[in-house]
Amino acid sequence: MKRYLFGSLGLLMLIVTGVASAQSIEKAIKYRQGAFAVMGWNFGAIVDMIKGKRPFDQEDFARRAKIISDVSLAPIEGFLTESSEGQTKSKFEIWENFADFEVKMKLMQEAALNLSVVSLSGDYDASKRAAIKLGKTCKSCHDEYRKK
Ligand code: ASC
């Protein structure tokens, strides 16, 4: 009877821990996706400005670039545990090549900071170049580590 009771308790604890870690993985996925959504929202507006689909407004451009730069520091934390299952486009390869993933994330952060600084100058051409550079760092990670 005792053995049965402790056996069941152990199983229950395993299930509870399993559900808890599944919940924290789900939260981590939502956290990084939220950060990318903020970055994508603002970069989309910046891309529209450099494509002439929206008037170039230096102040608005710089404000958005600063948001992207600040938020670019966030998503890496959402990748700390292996989480390529579930509602995510993240490939398992991220965790197989985590050092490379971190380097790519850093290059993106640097390009975002550069865009933020350059956009303060009001130099449209330099801002455009900096935005294209940032877009390339987004793409290099997506090509390798994001499911289609
Ligand atoms: C965006 C966005 C991305 C990047 C990428 C750049 O606006 O949402 O993921 O730019 O398309 O290559």
Side-chain angles (χ1 to χ4, degrees), residues 36-119:
F36 287 133
V38 170
M39 294 161 71
W41 176 276
N42 288 287
F43 196 55
I46 282 178
V47 169
D48 283 352
M49 281 187 231
I50 63 178
K51 282 187 175 165
K53 287 189 191 168
R54 173 198 280 253
F56 178 66
D57 173 341
Q58 190 255 326
E59 214 171 283
D60 186 56
F61 188 114
R63 180 183 67 84
R64 293 180 187 280
K66 179 162 187 340
I67 293 171
I68 295 168
S69 177
D70 289 345
V71 177
S72 74
L73 304 174
I76 189 67
E77 220 183 318
F79 288 94
L80 292 186
T81 45
E82 198 283 305
S83 38
S84 58
E85 310 274 308
Q87 301 275 71
T88 175
K89 289 183 184 163
S90 296
K91 286 188 186 170
F92 177 63
E93 281 79 354
I94 290 172
W95 292 276
E96 284 183 331
N97 308 306
F98 204 73
D100 176 62
F101 184 71
E102 281 182 303
V103 168
K104 287 189 162 59
M105 200 66 100
K106 272 239 149 62
L107 291 173
M108 179 276 288
Q109 292 165 348
E110 281 168 18
L113 180 60
N114 177 60
L115 176 65
S116 178
V117 172
V118 167
S119 66

Side-chain angles (χ1 to χ4, degrees), residues 40 43-44 135 138-139 142 146:
F43 196 55
C138 302
K139 191 175 182 301
H142 293 162
R146 186 170 72 168

